[in-house]
Amino acid sequence: MRRREFIALLGGATVARPLDVRAQQPAMPVIGYLGIGSSNTEVPLAAFRQGLSEAGYVEGQNVTIDYRWAEGNPERFPALAAELVMLKVHVILTTGGTLAAIAAKQATATIPIVFTAAGDPVAEGLVANLARPGGNVTGFSVTLDDLIGKWLELLKEAVPGASRVALLLKPDAMPDRVREVRLREADASARALGMELQVFEARGREDFDGVFSDMSKARVGALVVWPTPVFQLERRRLADLAAEHRLPAVFQLRIHVEAGGLMSYGPNLRDLNRRAAIYVGKILKGTKPSDLPVEQPTKFELVINLKTAKSLGIAVPASLLARADEVIE
């Protein structure tokens, strides 16, 4: 071989070698993020990224996230979950409550799924049991039967004259059989407190005006809002309508009180999503979802909007204010 040909061949090999090495480098793992809102409205997103960082992952550096947003329309969850499955993501994180988790589970029996804030994952068929979920699904649960009783107790303490209470719910937010059980439990809690619970249904923002008008006609004295991701997105409109109709309202999440609602009692949403991200990190490192127990919230908080209370003419008892984790003035 001539010297010039040998040098050219050697130079070509030198150039080609780094390309071969790069081609052999493993691609970053991909997380499929299934959210109810959009990148502008998703409250837990920053907490999720914080949890990923705690688990050793930083978006764009050693993990990729494919986002799919329902933009307030839960009916889109099945199609969006199917898209994530077609992309062959390594794990799916759902933040759209029970409906998002169900859609993801129906879309795949193999890709790991981590859900946040599902109501009753056993009754809703997401997992076999809390300690050993089985299958490819795990996450974090919020049991509503205990919380509804607590919300009614808070209303009775803050507004002792409110004997008739409206319960606002989105009828398709959970399976029918689960909703029926929860409503019976809620009614029993109300009767134990000497209250009458009246159910009102709204599927979305377009129903709100009519529903609140019906509440006024029924002369309810207070309002409990059953948590659902769509109501979270519309929290400001709900708070405005409650104020307009002079209804003291209690919610699950503090974001409703920050928007103008009277009170909230429930889990810390940001903490749930931070912990869910840590679960995602464990799965990316090889842990099976079936080995990660479904966990309950560890942080509950009572938040009171004193400005809203004053506008409604409510003198919140000092004992209740003293128990609050935060009072917005």
Side-chain angles (χ1 to χ4, degrees):
M1 180 180 294
R2 295 178 181 177
R3 183 173 179 273
R4 184 177 298 174
E5 293 173 344
F6 176 76
I7 293 172
L9 178 63
L10 183 61
T14 303
V15 172
R17 183 174 179 79
L19 296 177
D20 293 340
V21 171
R22 286 199 297 269
Q24 293 172 5
Q25 290 177 345
M28 288 188 289
V30 182
I31 300 168
Y33 189 105
L34 185 58
I36 180 61
S38 67
S39 58
N40 296 325
T41 62
E42 191 80 348
V43 174
L45 195 52
F48 175 72
R49 288 170 174 155
Q50 176 190 341
L52 276 183
S53 178
E54 292 177 24
Y57 291 94
V58 178
E59 184 177 5
Q61 293 185 16
N62 59 354
V63 71
T64 299
I65 305 178
D66 270 325
Y67 298 95
R68 290 297 181 273
W69 303 107
E71 297 179 345
N73 186 359
E75 288 76 15
R76 297 186 62 197
F77 282 143
L80 295 174
E83 287 182 20
L84 292 173
V85 172
M86 289 181 64
L87 289 171
K88 298 181 179 180
V89 299
H90 294 82
V91 59
I92 296 174
L93 184 283
T94 71
T95 66
T98 301
L99 293 180
I102 290 174
K105 182 176 181 179
Q106 290 175 343
T108 178
T110 56
I111 296 175
I113 297 166
V114 178
F115 58 80
T116 59
D120 188 335
V122 176
E124 290 155 3
L126 289 170
V127 299
N129 63 68
L130 300 183
R132 302 290 293 181
N136 63 318
V137 183
T138 188
F140 294 82
S141 168
V142 179
T143 305
L144 288 177
D145 53 346
D146 296 336
L147 284 176
I148 290 177
K150 182 65 175 180
W151 297 332
L152 291 169
E153 289 177 6
L154 289 170
L155 278 177
K156 189 174 183 65
E157 188 171 355
V159 195
S163 59
R164 181 177 297 175
V165 178
L167 174 61
L168 177 64
L169 60 83
K170 190 175 187 298
D172 55 351
M174 64 185 70
D176 292 345
R177 57 185 175 80
V178 176
R179 184 177 68 251
E180 291 172 2
V181 172
R182 293 289 171 262
L183 286 176
R184 286 198 298 269
E185 293 167 344
D187 186 62
S189 296
R191 284 188 281 106
L193 293 167
M195 292 174 160
E196 177 187 349
L197 200 62
Q198 190 166 345
V199 177
F200 296 84
E201 298 183 352
R203 294 180 180 273
R205 184 185 182 93
E206 66 278 3
D207 297 330
F208 288 169
D209 287 336
V211 166
F212 273 85
S213 178
D214 290 341
M215 290 180 193
S216 293
K217 293 174 183 176
R219 296 186 179 182
V220 297
L223 170 63
V224 171
V225 177
W226 194 301
T228 182
V230 172
F231 289 174
Q232 293 172 29
L233 294 176
E234 297 292 345
R235 57 190 177 274
R236 191 164 300 280
R237 180 59 179 155
L238 285 172
D240 288 346
L241 283 168
E244 179 183 332
H245 290 267
R246 310 290 296 170
L247 282 174
V250 63
F251 304 85
Q252 182 189 52
L253 301 175
R254 66 176 297 133
I255 57 175
H256 290 277
V257 183
E258 292 170 347
L262 176 62
M263 289 188 297
S264 68
Y265 178 81
N268 185 305
L269 185 62
R270 293 176 177 86
D271 182 63
L272 279 181
N273 284 273
R274 181 189 64 82
R275 292 165 61 198
I278 293 173
Y279 261 25
V280 168
K282 289 181 178 180
I283 289 171
L284 291 177
K285 292 175 181 176
T287 303
K288 296 179 180 179
S290 57
D291 293 332
L292 293 171
V294 175
E295 293 190 358
Q296 302 285 344
T298 57
K299 293 182 180 180
F300 286 79
E301 54 187 5
L302 171 62
V303 182
I304 300 172
N305 191 320
L306 201 57
K307 181 179 178 181
T308 299
K310 291 177 180 177
S311 70
L312 293 172
I314 296 172
V316 181
S319 58
L320 186 55
L321 291 173
R323 300 201 308 273
D325 295 276
E326 183 177 351
V327 177
I328 299 173
E329 299 190 54

